[in-house]
Amino acid sequence: MLVLKNVRYKKNGRAILRDMTVQFEDGKVYAMLGNNGVGKSTLASIIMGLEAYREHEGELYLDSISLKDLGVYERAKLGITLALQEPVRFDGITVREYLNLGGKQRLSRDEIVEALKLVGLSEAYLDRYVDATLSGGERKRVELASIVLLKPRVVVLDEPDSGIDIMSNEMIKAVVEKLKSNGSTVIVITHREEIAMMADEAYLMCGGRLLASGTPQEIVTFYKKLCDNCNHVNSPEDNEGRDGESR
Ligand SMILES: Nc1ncnc2c1ncn2[C@@H]1O[C@H](COP(=O)(O)OP(=O)(O)OP(=O)(O)O)[C@@H](O)[C@H]1O
């Protein structure tokens, strides 16, 4: 189980995450919803232990292991993975090589082709380079295939649909289902209702806090009702929210 206990994160005196306590159980899929700037990607970066986000308050545990002093490499070794919003780019590395990077042993061609198929890419992509010659959407798909092959313990997908056409919700669903069937804990950050609905549980984030939790249907309804016309400011100019003041 991944546990966050009283996690707070400040940047330049501004509270970005405020007292987040949450438990992500093994093998479950979670959707994190919330408007732009509420702290979703920050939460993802803190879970992964990205260098710029190591200076936070509160505790993170994977089972009984404290993640506090562990960097990205050590967390990756424990099976924690993050797919950022921006699609991956690795100049000079082919799709086949990239998909083989994370595994303990070399994957067979069939395994790789199967993962590519899952994300809607043919084997013609095997020898393409993971660089700007692939479209953003294609690189996103390749990244999703790599995560499926990696079989992570915990994966945070930060807007896996970004750059992916709306017709491909089924592909993302297939990826999430595959991860779940492999036993991964999946935390999906999304604005898209169809993607949120794939989760077992959902959370609504607002102003660096978890505002509500429930079924995806409940949270999507709540999100639409509450956040659609909300003037709640999450931008850095938001002085009101400095230093953990509650609102
Ligand atoms: N390193 C940083 N320096 C300054 N401000 C930061 C930093 N990291 C995050 N922020 C600010 O914290 C707030 C939360 O950012 P975050 O990227 O977590 O939002 P988000 O919920 O993922 O938004 P979106 O839906 O637009 O991706 C934003 O106002 C952002 O500008």
Side-chain angles (χ1 to χ4, degrees), residues 2 25 29 48 71 73 83 99 110 129 133 135 149 162 168 171 181 186 198 201 213 216:
L2 176 70
E25 288 173 33
V29 178
M48 191 67 236
Y73 178 76
L99 294 181
D110 285 354
Y129 285 90
T133 61
S135 76
L149 289 168
S162 91
S168 302
M171 179 276 288
S181 74
V186 187
M198 297 169 192
E201 287 178 35
S213 66

PDB file of all heavy atoms in Angstrom, residues 2 25 29 48 71 73 83 99 110 129 133 135 149 162 168 171 181 186 198 201 213 216:
ATOM      1  N   LEU A   2       0.502   2.232  -0.791  1.00  0.00           N
ATOM      2  CA  LEU A   2       1.227   3.510  -0.802  1.00  0.00           C
ATOM      3  C   LEU A   2       0.457   4.480   0.096  1.00  0.00           C
ATOM      4  O   LEU A   2      -0.744   4.686  -0.098  1.00  0.00           O
ATOM      5  CB  LEU A   2       1.296   4.058  -2.231  1.00  0.00           C
ATOM      6  CG  LEU A   2       1.941   5.432  -2.386  1.00  0.00           C
ATOM      7  CD1 LEU A   2       3.445   5.376  -2.129  1.00  0.00           C
ATOM      8  CD2 LEU A   2       1.694   6.000  -3.789  1.00  0.00           C
ATOM      9  N   GLU A  25      -4.429   1.629  -2.152  1.00  0.00           N
ATOM     10  CA  GLU A  25      -4.301   0.184  -1.901  1.00  0.00           C
ATOM     11  C   GLU A  25      -3.758  -0.553  -3.118  1.00  0.00           C
ATOM     12  O   GLU A  25      -3.962  -0.124  -4.255  1.00  0.00           O
ATOM     13  CB  GLU A  25      -5.677  -0.386  -1.530  1.00  0.00           C
ATOM     14  CG  GLU A  25      -6.119   0.027  -0.155  1.00  0.00           C
ATOM     15  CD  GLU A  25      -7.542  -0.398   0.116  1.00  0.00           C
ATOM     16  OE1 GLU A  25      -7.969  -1.455  -0.390  1.00  0.00           O
ATOM     17  OE2 GLU A  25      -8.228   0.358   0.829  1.00  0.00           O
ATOM     18  N   VAL A  29      -7.317   0.960  -8.954  1.00  0.00           N
ATOM     19  CA  VAL A  29      -7.146   2.084  -9.871  1.00  0.00           C
ATOM     20  C   VAL A  29      -7.822   3.312  -9.253  1.00  0.00           C
ATOM     21  O   VAL A  29      -8.991   3.243  -8.841  1.00  0.00           O
ATOM     22  CB  VAL A  29      -7.777   1.770 -11.248  1.00  0.00           C
ATOM     23  CG1 VAL A  29      -7.630   2.958 -12.188  1.00  0.00           C
ATOM     24  CG2 VAL A  29      -7.151   0.513 -11.854  1.00  0.00           C
ATOM     25  N   MET A  48       6.861  10.233  -6.959  1.00  0.00           N
ATOM     26  CA  MET A  48       8.018   9.681  -7.689  1.00  0.00           C
ATOM     27  C   MET A  48       9.336  10.106  -7.058  1.00  0.00           C
ATOM     28  O   MET A  48      10.364   9.481  -7.286  1.00  0.00           O
ATOM     29  CB  MET A  48       7.934  10.146  -9.153  1.00  0.00           C
ATOM     30  CG  MET A  48       8.896   9.443 -10.080  1.00  0.00           C
ATOM     31  SD  MET A  48       8.507   7.696 -10.293  1.00  0.00           S
ATOM     32  CE  MET A  48      10.022   6.895  -9.813  1.00  0.00           C
ATOM     33  N   GLY A  71      15.523   8.567  -3.483  1.00  0.00           N
ATOM     34  CA  GLY A  71      15.391   9.354  -4.710  1.00  0.00           C
ATOM     35  C   GLY A  71      14.667   8.572  -5.788  1.00  0.00           C
ATOM     36  O   GLY A  71      14.194   7.451  -5.553  1.00  0.00           O
ATOM     37  N   TYR A  73      15.680   6.973  -8.403  1.00  0.00           N
ATOM     38  CA  TYR A  73      16.244   5.668  -8.764  1.00  0.00           C
ATOM     39  C   TYR A  73      15.801   4.587  -7.775  1.00  0.00           C
ATOM     40  O   TYR A  73      15.333   3.516  -8.171  1.00  0.00           O
ATOM     41  CB  TYR A  73      17.775   5.783  -8.815  1.00  0.00           C
ATOM     42  CG  TYR A  73      18.462   4.486  -9.128  1.00  0.00           C
ATOM     43  CD1 TYR A  73      18.481   3.988 -10.432  1.00  0.00           C
ATOM     44  CD2 TYR A  73      19.082   3.742  -8.117  1.00  0.00           C
ATOM     45  CE1 TYR A  73      19.108   2.785 -10.722  1.00  0.00           C
ATOM     46  CE2 TYR A  73      19.715   2.540  -8.399  1.00  0.00           C
ATOM     47  CZ  TYR A  73      19.730   2.071  -9.703  1.00  0.00           C
ATOM     48  OH  TYR A  73      20.349   0.882  -9.978  1.00  0.00           O
ATOM     49  N   ALA A  83       4.488   8.443 -15.414  1.00  0.00           N
ATOM     50  CA  ALA A  83       4.455   8.874 -16.815  1.00  0.00           C
ATOM     51  C   ALA A  83       3.982  10.317 -16.813  1.00  0.00           C
ATOM     52  O   ALA A  83       2.836  10.604 -16.453  1.00  0.00           O
ATOM     53  CB  ALA A  83       3.503   8.007 -17.624  1.00  0.00           C
ATOM     54  N   LEU A  99      11.566   0.007 -25.382  1.00  0.00           N
ATOM     55  CA  LEU A  99      10.659  -0.904 -24.674  1.00  0.00           C
ATOM     56  C   LEU A  99      11.418  -1.979 -23.902  1.00  0.00           C
ATOM     57  O   LEU A  99      10.884  -2.607 -23.001  1.00  0.00           O
ATOM     58  CB  LEU A  99       9.662  -1.530 -25.653  1.00  0.00           C
ATOM     59  CG  LEU A  99       8.675  -0.532 -26.282  1.00  0.00           C
ATOM     60  CD1 LEU A  99       7.709  -1.233 -27.213  1.00  0.00           C
ATOM     61  CD2 LEU A  99       7.894   0.238 -25.222  1.00  0.00           C
ATOM     62  N   ASP A 110       7.705 -10.912 -29.708  1.00  0.00           N
ATOM     63  CA  ASP A 110       6.248 -11.100 -29.588  1.00  0.00           C
ATOM     64  C   ASP A 110       5.672 -10.282 -28.431  1.00  0.00           C
ATOM     65  O   ASP A 110       4.606  -9.673 -28.559  1.00  0.00           O
ATOM     66  CB  ASP A 110       5.910 -12.580 -29.363  1.00  0.00           C
ATOM     67  CG  ASP A 110       6.056 -13.370 -30.646  1.00  0.00           C
ATOM     68  OD1 ASP A 110       6.299 -12.740 -31.701  1.00  0.00           O
ATOM     69  OD2 ASP A 110       5.939 -14.612 -30.593  1.00  0.00           O
ATOM     70  N   TYR A 129      12.522   5.737 -34.333  1.00  0.00           N
ATOM     71  CA  TYR A 129      13.223   6.334 -33.184  1.00  0.00           C
ATOM     72  C   TYR A 129      12.229   7.071 -32.286  1.00  0.00           C
ATOM     73  O   TYR A 129      11.256   7.662 -32.779  1.00  0.00           O
ATOM     74  CB  TYR A 129      14.331   7.270 -33.667  1.00  0.00           C
ATOM     75  CG  TYR A 129      15.513   6.483 -34.169  1.00  0.00           C
ATOM     76  CD1 TYR A 129      15.602   6.098 -35.501  1.00  0.00           C
ATOM     77  CD2 TYR A 129      16.513   6.071 -33.283  1.00  0.00           C
ATOM     78  CE1 TYR A 129      16.670   5.334 -35.959  1.00  0.00           C
ATOM     79  CE2 TYR A 129      17.583   5.312 -33.723  1.00  0.00           C
ATOM     80  CZ  TYR A 129      17.655   4.941 -35.059  1.00  0.00           C
ATOM     81  OH  TYR A 129      18.698   4.172 -35.489  1.00  0.00           O
ATOM     82  N   THR A 133      10.555  12.551 -34.705  1.00  0.00           N
ATOM     83  CA  THR A 133       9.967  11.989 -35.928  1.00  0.00           C
ATOM     84  C   THR A 133       8.711  11.179 -35.617  1.00  0.00           C
ATOM     85  O   THR A 133       7.933  10.866 -36.518  1.00  0.00           O
ATOM     86  CB  THR A 133      10.980  11.098 -36.694  1.00  0.00           C
ATOM     87  OG1 THR A 133      11.365  10.019 -35.839  1.00  0.00           O
ATOM     88  CG2 THR A 133      12.202  11.894 -37.124  1.00  0.00           C
ATOM     89  N   SER A 135       5.083  11.325 -33.718  1.00  0.00           N
ATOM     90  CA  SER A 135       4.195  12.385 -33.231  1.00  0.00           C
ATOM     91  C   SER A 135       4.090  12.288 -31.708  1.00  0.00           C
ATOM     92  O   SER A 135       4.428  11.252 -31.117  1.00  0.00           O
ATOM     93  CB  SER A 135       2.803  12.243 -33.862  1.00  0.00           C
ATOM     94  OG  SER A 135       2.106  11.178 -33.250  1.00  0.00           O
ATOM     95  N   LEU A 149       4.786  -3.107 -20.126  1.00  0.00           N
ATOM     96  CA  LEU A 149       5.840  -4.130 -20.117  1.00  0.00           C
ATOM     97  C   LEU A 149       6.638  -4.115 -18.817  1.00  0.00           C
ATOM     98  O   LEU A 149       7.157  -5.137 -18.386  1.00  0.00           O
ATOM     99  CB  LEU A 149       6.781  -3.916 -21.315  1.00  0.00           C
ATOM    100  CG  LEU A 149       6.167  -4.257 -22.676  1.00  0.00           C
ATOM    101  CD1 LEU A 149       7.041  -3.741 -23.807  1.00  0.00           C
ATOM    102  CD2 LEU A 149       5.940  -5.762 -22.828  1.00  0.00           C
ATOM    103  N   SER A 162      -3.299  12.998 -22.688  1.00  0.00           N
ATOM    104  CA  SER A 162      -2.858  14.258 -23.272  1.00  0.00           C
ATOM    105  C   SER A 162      -2.166  13.981 -24.609  1.00  0.00           C
ATOM    106  O   SER A 162      -1.259  13.147 -24.697  1.00  0.00           O
ATOM    107  CB  SER A 162      -1.965  15.044 -22.305  1.00  0.00           C
ATOM    108  OG  SER A 162      -0.634  14.733 -22.479  1.00  0.00           O
ATOM    109  N   SER A 168      -9.573   7.437 -28.680  1.00  0.00           N
ATOM    110  CA  SER A 168      -8.696   6.380 -28.159  1.00  0.00           C
ATOM    111  C   SER A 168      -8.891   6.096 -26.672  1.00  0.00           C
ATOM    112  O   SER A 168      -8.036   5.488 -26.034  1.00  0.00           O
ATOM    113  CB  SER A 168      -7.241   6.741 -28.434  1.00  0.00           C
ATOM    114  OG  SER A 168      -7.053   6.905 -29.807  1.00  0.00           O
ATOM    115  N   MET A 171      -8.357   2.553 -25.880  1.00  0.00           N
ATOM    116  CA  MET A 171      -6.954   2.130 -25.788  1.00  0.00           C
ATOM    117  C   MET A 171      -6.435   2.391 -24.369  1.00  0.00           C
ATOM    118  O   MET A 171      -5.793   1.538 -23.756  1.00  0.00           O
ATOM    119  CB  MET A 171      -6.135   2.898 -26.835  1.00  0.00           C
ATOM    120  CG  MET A 171      -4.656   2.597 -26.858  1.00  0.00           C
ATOM    121  SD  MET A 171      -3.685   3.515 -25.661  1.00  0.00           S
ATOM    122  CE  MET A 171      -3.706   5.152 -26.379  1.00  0.00           C
ATOM    123  N   SER A 181      -4.662  -5.868 -14.188  1.00  0.00           N
ATOM    124  CA  SER A 181      -4.605  -7.335 -14.188  1.00  0.00           C
ATOM    125  C   SER A 181      -3.204  -7.835 -13.846  1.00  0.00           C
ATOM    126  O   SER A 181      -3.034  -8.951 -13.377  1.00  0.00           O
ATOM    127  CB  SER A 181      -5.097  -7.905 -15.520  1.00  0.00           C
ATOM    128  OG  SER A 181      -4.123  -7.693 -16.509  1.00  0.00           O
ATOM    129  N   VAL A 186      -2.730   1.809  -9.813  1.00  0.00           N
ATOM    130  CA  VAL A 186      -2.704   2.823 -10.868  1.00  0.00           C
ATOM    131  C   VAL A 186      -3.362   4.105 -10.363  1.00  0.00           C
ATOM    132  O   VAL A 186      -4.502   4.081  -9.896  1.00  0.00           O
ATOM    133  CB  VAL A 186      -3.454   2.329 -12.134  1.00  0.00           C
ATOM    134  CG1 VAL A 186      -3.277   3.321 -13.287  1.00  0.00           C
ATOM    135  CG2 VAL A 186      -2.978   0.943 -12.559  1.00  0.00           C
ATOM    136  N   MET A 198     -12.932   4.784 -15.341  1.00  0.00           N
ATOM    137  CA  MET A 198     -12.247   3.479 -15.334  1.00  0.00           C
ATOM    138  C   MET A 198     -11.769   3.108 -13.936  1.00  0.00           C
ATOM    139  O   MET A 198     -11.352   1.983 -13.699  1.00  0.00           O
ATOM    140  CB  MET A 198     -11.002   3.538 -16.241  1.00  0.00           C
ATOM    141  CG  MET A 198     -11.302   3.788 -17.681  1.00  0.00           C
ATOM    142  SD  MET A 198      -9.759   4.167 -18.558  1.00  0.00           S
ATOM    143  CE  MET A 198     -10.466   4.778 -20.099  1.00  0.00           C
ATOM    144  N   GLU A 201     -11.819   3.992  -7.465  1.00  0.00           N
ATOM    145  CA  GLU A 201     -12.138   5.094  -6.558  1.00  0.00           C
ATOM    146  C   GLU A 201     -11.619   6.391  -7.155  1.00  0.00           C
ATOM    147  O   GLU A 201     -10.655   6.367  -7.921  1.00  0.00           O
ATOM    148  CB  GLU A 201     -11.440   4.905  -5.199  1.00  0.00           C
ATOM    149  CG  GLU A 201     -12.051   3.818  -4.349  1.00  0.00           C
ATOM    150  CD  GLU A 201     -11.301   3.640  -3.048  1.00  0.00           C
ATOM    151  OE1 GLU A 201     -10.801   4.636  -2.491  1.00  0.00           O
ATOM    152  OE2 GLU A 201     -11.219   2.492  -2.595  1.00  0.00           O
ATOM    153  N   SER A 213     -13.799  12.257  -1.803  1.00  0.00           N
ATOM    154  CA  SER A 213     -13.477  10.962  -2.392  1.00  0.00           C
ATOM    155  C   SER A 213     -14.766  10.189  -2.553  1.00  0.00           C
ATOM    156  O   SER A 213     -15.750  10.445  -1.859  1.00  0.00           O
ATOM    157  CB  SER A 213     -12.502  10.190  -1.503  1.00  0.00           C
ATOM    158  OG  SER A 213     -13.122   9.867  -0.286  1.00  0.00           O
ATOM    159  N   PRO A 216     -16.108   6.967  -8.933  1.00  0.00           N
ATOM    160  CA  PRO A 216     -15.845   7.903 -10.034  1.00  0.00           C
ATOM    161  C   PRO A 216     -17.102   8.680 -10.433  1.00  0.00           C
ATOM    162  O   PRO A 216     -17.032   9.895 -10.647  1.00  0.00           O
ATOM    163  CB  PRO A 216     -15.385   6.984 -11.167  1.00  0.00           C
ATOM    164  CG  PRO A 216     -14.819   5.803 -10.487  1.00  0.00           C
ATOM    165  CD  PRO A 216     -15.603   5.608  -9.236  1.00  0.00           C
TER     166      PRO A 216
END
